[in-house]
Amino acid sequence: QILANSGVEASESEGATLDATLKGDLMEEEYQNARTLGIALYVDNPVKLKDFNFETVFPDSRNDKIARVDQVLETNTRHIADGISPVLPTTIIDRLTDAKDDYVAALKVQDKERADAREAVADLKERFDYDTKMLQKLRAWFYAMLGKQDPRIDLIGMVNPQSGGSGSTPTPVPPAPTNLVYHS
């Protein structure tokens, strides 16, 4: 059950990461749409254009991406309040806002799923370590009670240090076929 839970949590974490990546890509696409239009609108007004910070490359880190989008949204709101014309259209601002909100929500889910996955892996490791210690104690008990040479050790699935495992001989590997021809 712990192993299955660990797998489920890992899958959920991967899914949340994929979703966050897709939402981040969508937010960047909406930012680039706003940027393209903003550059066209403010090409003759470099001071207003600089307010948006469109001349710099879109950042890589998630916090910087969100901050850049917030800068565009806040600058547009300030331009509207100051009566600056033209401003970015409402539809572009709405799409950019929605994309940012979706990205932030996806990041929260991703962070939660990553934490859940780390916890599940830690639980699995703890259980594995506990079970390993118990098996080592059980093996020591069998050795003490039965002796290392007792064939019953093989029957319970423990490796007999003298024989290297079960008393049966391994199945020989068949020889490689010699009648094969390679054509390039």
Side-chain angles (χ1 to χ4, degrees):
Q1 182 180 2
I2 292 172
L3 182 60
N5 185 47
S6 177
V8 167
E9 292 298 339
S11 293
E12 288 176 355
S13 178
E14 288 174 16
T17 297
L18 177 61
D19 187 50
T21 300
L22 293 173
K23 298 284 172 72
D25 291 346
L26 179 61
M27 183 184 74
E28 183 174 355
E29 182 180 322
E30 293 298 342
Y31 168 83
Q32 294 301 342
N33 291 336
R35 178 181 181 270
T36 301
L37 184 58
I39 289 171
L41 288 174
Y42 295 111
V43 69
D44 295 328
N45 193 339
V47 173
K48 298 303 178 197
L49 183 62
K50 190 162 182 65
D51 286 350
F52 286 99
N53 196 20
F54 285 143
E55 69 279 358
T56 59
V57 178
F58 194 70
D60 290 327
S61 80
R62 65 191 213 172
N63 291 335
D64 291 342
K65 288 177 183 184
I66 294 167
R68 177 68 62 84
V69 169
D70 281 341
Q71 180 181 7
V72 171
L73 297 173
E74 291 165 5
T75 299
N76 194 66
T77 300
R78 189 169 24 89
H79 283 194
I80 291 169
D82 292 346
I84 295 172
S85 182
V87 293
L88 294 173
T90 304
T91 55
I92 288 209
I93 293 300
D94 289 347
R95 285 195 335 245
L96 184 59
T97 301
D98 291 345
K100 183 198 90 166
D101 292 344
D102 290 347
Y103 181 54
V104 168
L107 289 175
K108 287 179 183 177
V109 171
Q110 180 189 31
D111 290 344
K112 180 199 173 299
E113 293 301 337
R114 280 183 176 171
D116 290 349
R118 280 191 298 270
E119 184 178 326
V121 168
D123 290 347
L124 181 63
K125 182 184 179 325
E126 181 181 321
R127 181 59 185 257
F128 179 82
D129 291 345
Y130 173 80
D131 288 350
T132 299
K133 288 178 186 175
M134 291 302 292
L135 287 172
Q136 288 170 344
K137 288 178 186 178
L138 183 61
R139 182 187 65 200
W141 185 86
F142 276 118
Y143 286 173
M145 300 308 284
L146 303 174
K148 288 184 178 182
Q149 303 301 322
D150 194 302
R152 291 177 289 180
I153 291 175
D154 287 341
L155 296 174
I156 59 172
M158 299 215 171
V159 175
N160 189 323
Q162 301 300 320
S163 69
S166 67
S168 64
T169 58
T171 307
V173 176
T178 57
N179 60 345
L180 299 178
V181 178
Y182 172 75
H183 296 286
S184 59

